């Protein structure tokens, strides 16, 4: 490649990177146009020839197969712009500048950045210096031409496609059920099984009225699919019919024999981050640019397709449509609340019952005081009765006459629009004849007549749109033939067991537009308003059925009779009186004793007193004796007190002075009811009990027990087992000193074994740990694993036979590599070379920070503190000022890392 203007390349440019930007618009071009790709890669050699080092040449080929319309979608272009902004690029190489970007915005931005960073653009035409105004103007012109080239090519391609589509000759993938024959015509698939599956889809939709019912009809049956692209291109595949595929078949106008072009439109949206997203949107049927009816044989007619489109739109609930669905609630979807004005929801309860309620209003806190819920069967029966009574032969004739009158009124209302369409059609035809009569060479006149014809056609389209809007605005009227056939035997059809609730809803909605629950203050009554499609309204007054509590409530007559008789008669006598009066419960059962008792408990009706003149109840006896009622019950059940039970199960106790005296005698002889004082402590002169000492010092008794257990306070036990403390001013002063300074009471050294239980040469665990310089737990671990012999003394202490051999063996075990037992600060010191590097062990770090060793291990395990494990398994921590600051922050943030300081009571008792 011969490059012009190489004198513009300076040492400053060669000291930076030479970027070789490669791009192909599509993957097909990458696969087929290999020569262009090789030429772009060869630009690296050209950069070397112009003075760049091989290592300074950077090839950016991430955008091979990506269109240059938008820079945000190209990763390689973004990297190139970023490197130019950083000043790392001295020159950008390409076969032509149009490869950089097809968008003027992206291209101008790159040129401005290249000018600011003094970067060159080099292609086959020469070297461009963006600081030179002439080069900048030339590159700007080339960028505009590159963008315009895309528009011109796209216009040519789309124009050719549209011209072929207007003739119905543009071929595109056909839906399953259609194939192209040898002459290129669209024909029905000759496969009989495929035809049967497609026809059954439309038959199922005609029967069920929704895509959901179509899918239900194909359960357990396979459905065909024509594969386009990939390894299965052109082959017929069989699978399951899904809801989306059923909608695709029903909404495809190709099955109605129509050729349609332009159903989908490509839309681009700019995201908040600046990226451009491309999406496909389905256009409304009125906006389809090309529609050719009766283009080929269809599976159903165009009228059936338009009706199905409206029915599918009516089934779409997210557009606030309320189609007829399954369920026994006939007014579901057309029931409204007359108080808040919102649609009433339907809820199904147990035993097949349903109810209408203002659930949405209550959830949004928009319910009014008169918003009510009502049982569905009450409303449905009333509305169905109104419908059946209305559709009598006489009413049908009047409805037909009204329908004729309404049809005439509708015809008169849009007659003006029809005349406007006729006038516009005449003007358009006249303009067409004038244009056809002019000679083609007389372009001056032809252009004027052509513009006039286009204006007349636009006026015709507007008139037709106004007529269509006027026809769609009128409400749909029932068909005369269908209404007559419906009224012939509507009651029998309505009550037929084979008639589904969904069909009843459709019959109901044929004439009734909606039902409204009108506001009513009385909860026992309800009013509903029915609005017919003709605009007429009816109002029905209903009585709400009694609720379950109302049904089960005790009748007033029975309640009054029980209130009159029960205070003076027994419950059995009340039951007899209720039976003679013929009164029953709210559920229709005869009264028994349990029912009478429940009525008395509910309405606070007192029963006849079971006590005689000389009898009292258990609570009164307990109150007189000053004991609990449980004690009285115990005496009654163990024959220590005489009493009787009445029919209600209550105890009746005969009471007199003799019975009271006998009860008090039992109280005096009982150790539970009258606690006896224990034997006095056998204290010697000068001794006090623990309770007395605690009272003198003003502390809890547990503190003195703790001092005695720790052998800081001398004491002895008397024959009864009580502690007796020799007391004098010196002992009292020592105790008060311990109260004032509890920290001095903490153990200061290893606790030895008792002299009376220790053998010669035996020491305790704390003594062994102190000699070895380890924790007590390390010695206990050695005993537990069998490395150290020990036995338990009668007092419960552990005694260890100790000599030089035992100590040497134990030190060897403790010094063993990977020893799992806990160690103290002085054991297992780090090697000298490790300490020389300024590293500390975990024990040393814990001692410096005043925290537990476990906290340091936790920080190391969580990666919050760096540590090094030596060959012998020990952890060493490089101790610097930064590590120390980190550890102090960690110790301050966590409570568990600090040593717990338990607040002591007097003398250190916990």
């Amino acid at each position: 490649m011969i490059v012009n203007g190489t004198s513009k390349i300076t040492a400053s440019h060669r000291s930076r990177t030479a970027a070789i930007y490669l791009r192909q618009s599509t993957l097909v071009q990458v696969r087929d146009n290999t020569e262009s790709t090789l030429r772009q890669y060869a630009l690296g050699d050209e950069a070397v020839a112009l003075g760049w080092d091989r290592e300074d040449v950077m090839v950016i080929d991430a955008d091979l197969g990506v269109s240059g319309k938008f820079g945000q979608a190209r990763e390689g272009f973004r990297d190139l712009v970023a490197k130019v902004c950083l000043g790392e690029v001295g020159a950008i190489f390409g076969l032509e500048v149009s490869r950089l970007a097809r968008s003027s915005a992206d291209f101008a931005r790159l040129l401005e950045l290249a000018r600011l960073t003094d970067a060159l653009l080099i292609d086959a035409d020469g070297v461009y210096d963006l600081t030179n105004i002439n080069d900048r103007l030339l590159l700007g012109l080339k960028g505009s031409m590159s963008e315009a080239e895309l528009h011109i090519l796209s216009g040519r391609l789309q124009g050719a496609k549209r011209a072929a589509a207007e003739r119905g000759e543009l071929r595109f993938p056909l839906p399953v059920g259609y194939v192209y024959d040898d002459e290129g015509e669209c024909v029905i698939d000759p496969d009989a099984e495929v035809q049967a599956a497609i026809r059954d889809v439309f038959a199922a939709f005609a029967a069920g009225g929704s895509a959901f019912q179509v899918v239900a009809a194909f359960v357990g049956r396979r459905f065909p699919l024509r594969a386009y692209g990939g390894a299965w291109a052109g082959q017929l595949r069989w699978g399951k019919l899904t809801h989306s595929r059923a909608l695709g078949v029903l909404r495809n106008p190709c099955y109605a024999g129509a050729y349609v072009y332009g159903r989908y439109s490509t839309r681009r949206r700019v995201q908040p981050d600046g990226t451009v997203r491309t999406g496909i949107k389905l256009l409304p049927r009125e906006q389809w640019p090309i529609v050719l009816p009766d283009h080929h044989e269809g599976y159903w007619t165009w009228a059936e397709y338009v009706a199905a489109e409206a029915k599918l739109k009516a089934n779409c609930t997210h557009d606030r449509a309320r189609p007829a669905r399954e369920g026994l609630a006939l007014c579901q979807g057309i029931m409204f609340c007359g108080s808040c004005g919102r649609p009433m929801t339907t809820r199904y309860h147990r035993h097949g019952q349903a109810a209408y309620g203002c659930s949405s209003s209550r959830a949004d806190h928009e319910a009014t005081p008169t918003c009510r819920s009502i049982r569905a069967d009450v409303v449905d029966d009333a509305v169905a009765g109104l419908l059946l009574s209305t559709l009598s032969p006489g009413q049908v004739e009047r409805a037909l006459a009204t329908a004729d009158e309404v049809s005439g009124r509708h015809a008169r209302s849009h007659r003006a629009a029809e005349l406007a369409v006729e006038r516009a059609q005449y003007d358009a035809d006249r303009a067409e004849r004038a244009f056809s009569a002019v000679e083609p060479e007389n372009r001056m006149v032809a252009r004027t007549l052509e513009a006039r014809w286009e204006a007349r056609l636009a006026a015709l389209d507007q008139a037709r749109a106004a007529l269509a809007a006027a026809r769609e605005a009128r409400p749909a009227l029932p068909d005369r033939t269908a209404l007559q056939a419906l009224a012939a035997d509507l009651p029998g059809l309505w009550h037929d067991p084979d008639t589904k609730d969904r069909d009843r809803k459709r019959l109901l909605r044929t004439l009734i537009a909606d039902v409204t629950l009108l506001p009513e203050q009385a909860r026992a009554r309800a009013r509903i308003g029915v609005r017919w499609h003709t605009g007429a309204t009816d109002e029905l007054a209903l009585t709400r059925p009694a609720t379950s509590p109302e049904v089960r409530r005790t009748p007033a007559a029975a309640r009054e009779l029980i209130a009159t008789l029960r205070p003076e008669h027994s419950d059995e006598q009340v039951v007899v009186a209720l039976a003679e009066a013929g009164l029953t419960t709210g559920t229709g059962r005869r009264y028994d004793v349990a029912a009478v008792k429940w009525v008395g408990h509910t309405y606070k009706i007192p029963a006849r007193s079971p006590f005689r003149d000389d009898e009292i109840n258990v609570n009164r006896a307990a109150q007189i004796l000053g004991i609990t009622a449980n004690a009285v019950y115990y005496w009654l059940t163990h024959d220590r007190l005489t009493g009787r039970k009445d029919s209600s199960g209550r105890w009746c106790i005969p009471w007199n002075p003799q019975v009271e005296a006998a009860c008090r005698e039992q109280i005096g002889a009982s150790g539970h009811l009258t606690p006896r004082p224990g034997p006095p402590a056998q204290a010697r002169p000068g001794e006090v009990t623990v309770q007395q000492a605690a009272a003198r010092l003003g502390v809890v008794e547990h503190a003195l027990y703790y001092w005695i257990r720790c052998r800081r306070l001398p004491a002895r036990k008397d024959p009864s087992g009580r502690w007796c403390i020799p007391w004098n001013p010196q002992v009292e002063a020592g105790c008060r000193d311990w109260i004032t300074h509890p920290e001095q009471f903490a153990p200061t050294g290893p606790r030895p074994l008792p002299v009376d239980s220790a053998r010669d040469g035996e020491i305790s665990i704390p003594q062994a740990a102190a000699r070895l310089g380890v924790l007590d737990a390390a010695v206990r671990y050695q005993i537990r694993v069998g490395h150290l012999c020990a036995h338990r003394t009668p007092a419960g202490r552990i005694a260890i036979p100790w000599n030089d051999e035992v100590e040497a063996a134990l030190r060897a075990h403790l010094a063993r590599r990977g020893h799992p037992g806990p160690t103290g600060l002085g054991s297992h010191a780090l090697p000298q070379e490790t300490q020389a590097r300024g590293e500390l062990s975990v024990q040393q770090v814990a001692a410096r920070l005043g925290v537990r060793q476990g906290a340091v291990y936790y920080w190391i395990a969580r990666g919050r503190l760096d540590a090094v494990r030596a060959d012998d398994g020990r952890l060493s921590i490089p101790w610097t000022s930064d590590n120390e600051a980190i550890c102090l922050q960690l110790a301050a943030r966590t409570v568990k890392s600090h040593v717990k300081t338990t607040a002591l009571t007097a003398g250190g008792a916990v």
Side-chain angles (χ1 to χ4, degrees), residues 43-108:
L43 291 176
D45 298 334
E46 186 66 26
V48 174
L50 292 177
W52 272 272
D53 295 334
R54 177 65 66 178
E55 58 270 13
D56 291 337
V57 177
M58 176 181 61
V59 177
I60 301 177
D61 56 359
D63 293 340
L64 287 175
V66 181
S67 176
K69 291 182 179 180
F70 301 101
Q72 293 292 338
R74 292 183 287 160
E75 181 181 355
F77 185 77
R78 291 201 307 268
D79 294 343
L80 176 63
V81 172
K83 293 183 180 298
V84 171
C85 290
L86 295 176
E88 299 177 358
V89 177
I92 303 173
F93 284 79
L95 289 182
E96 54 188 25
V97 292
S98 62
R99 299 223 178 242
L100 294 176
R102 290 285 192 178
S103 172
S104 295
D106 295 334
F107 189 67

Side-chain angles (χ1 to χ4, degrees), residues 368-436:
T368 64
T370 54
C371 283
R372 299 282 188 269
S373 62
I374 188 170
R375 280 175 48 178
D377 56 348
V378 176
V379 178
D380 295 343
D381 293 343
V383 174
L386 177 64
L387 177 67
L388 297 177
S389 62
T390 302
L391 288 179
S392 60
Q395 295 290 342
V396 170
E397 293 298 330
R398 286 194 292 272
L400 293 176
T402 303
D404 294 338
E405 181 183 352
V406 173
S407 299
R409 187 167 59 251
H410 288 167
R412 290 191 299 272
S413 64
H414 54 71
R415 178 57 180 169
E418 293 178 352
L419 294 176
V421 172
E422 292 181 6
R423 181 177 295 277
Q425 184 67 50
Y426 170 75
D427 293 340
D429 294 341
R430 184 178 180 183
E432 182 182 3
R433 290 194 300 271
F435 176 76
S436 301

Side-chain angles (χ1 to χ4, degrees), residues 444-461:
M444 298 180 63
V445 177
R447 281 195 297 268
T448 303
L449 296 178
E450 183 180 6
R452 185 180 301 172
W453 183 25
E454 291 179 353
R456 297 294 185 271
L457 291 176
L460 176 61
D461 292 339

Side-chain angles (χ1 to χ4, degrees), residues 607-795:
R608 186 180 65 176
S609 177
F611 302 103
R612 301 170 184 169
D613 296 338
D614 58 343
E615 292 179 343
I616 62 175
N617 58 15
V618 173
N619 292 332
R620 179 57 181 165
Q623 182 181 2
I624 293 173
L625 298 174
I627 59 177
T628 62
N630 292 333
V632 180
Y633 280 118
Y634 181 82
W635 291 346
L636 291 171
T637 55
H638 289 76
D639 297 332
R640 295 186 181 182
L641 181 62
T642 304
R644 68 176 182 85
K645 276 189 176 181
D646 70 339
S647 59
S648 63
R650 288 181 291 181
W651 282 101
C652 302
I653 304 173
W655 197 257
N656 51 51
Q658 293 79 14
V659 174
E660 182 178 355
C663 291
R664 294 192 181 279
E665 184 178 353
Q666 290 189 58
I667 293 173
S670 174
H672 297 283
L673 300 177
T674 306
R676 299 183 181 86
Q682 301 178 10
R684 300 174 183 173
E687 292 181 344
V688 297
T689 62
V690 173
Q691 292 77 12
Q692 292 172 343
R696 292 186 181 186
L697 297 173
V699 298
V700 295
E701 299 174 3
H702 297 290
L704 279 84
Y705 284 119
Y706 178 71
W707 297 341
I708 294 173
R709 188 168 64 252
C710 292
R711 300 190 179 184
R712 288 297 183 91
L713 183 63
R716 68 174 185 84
K717 281 189 176 182
D718 66 354
S720 64
R722 296 190 176 185
W723 287 101
C724 298
I725 305 171
W727 198 257
N728 52 50
Q730 293 77 16
V731 174
E732 184 174 356
C735 292
R736 293 191 182 279
D737 185 51
W738 296 338
I739 295 172
T740 307
H741 305 285
E743 65 276 0
Q744 67 177 341
F745 197 76
T748 58
R751 182 181 174 189
L753 292 172
V755 180
D756 53 352
S757 60
R759 303 174 185 173
D760 293 339
E762 290 183 345
I763 60 176
S764 64
I765 291 179
Q767 289 174 327
R771 295 188 181 187
L772 297 172
V774 297
L775 298 178
D776 295 354
V779 181
R780 296 182 186 276
Y781 176 79
Q782 296 296 328
I783 296 174
R784 187 167 60 254
V785 299
H787 294 162
L788 183 61
C789 297
H791 67 90
R792 191 177 295 276
T793 64

Side-chain angles (χ1 to χ4, degrees), residues 100-124:
L100 294 176
R102 290 285 192 178
S103 172
S104 295
D106 295 334
F107 189 67
R109 179 166 170 261
L110 178 61
L111 296 183
E112 181 64 18
L113 295 174
R115 182 183 69 83
L116 295 176
T117 58
D118 190 20
L120 302 177
L121 265 70
I122 302 175
D123 64 359

Side-chain angles (χ1 to χ4, degrees), residues 87 155 262 386 500 563 598:
L386 177 64
K500 299 180 180 180
W598 179 252

Side-chain angles (χ1 to χ4, degrees), residues 322-325 327-335 356 376-391 478 483 486 490 493-494 499-516 528-534 540:
R322 306 177 73 83
R325 292 173 174 261
L328 54 89
L330 298 180
C331 297
Q332 178 184 9
I334 60 173
M335 190 75 186
Y356 304 119
D377 56 348
V378 176
V379 178
D380 295 343
D381 293 343
V383 174
L386 177 64
L387 177 67
L388 297 177
S389 62
T390 302
L391 288 179
L483 191 58
L486 184 65
L490 181 60
L493 178 64
W494 186 272
T499 303
K500 299 180 180 180
D501 292 325
R502 187 185 184 119
D503 299 330
R504 292 190 180 94
K505 293 180 183 180
R506 291 177 177 175
L507 293 175
L508 186 71
R509 297 184 184 198
T510 303
L511 297 178
I512 295 178
D514 54 59
V515 181
T516 303
I528 59 174
V530 180
R531 186 170 65 91
W532 304 82
H533 281 295
T534 59
L540 302 176

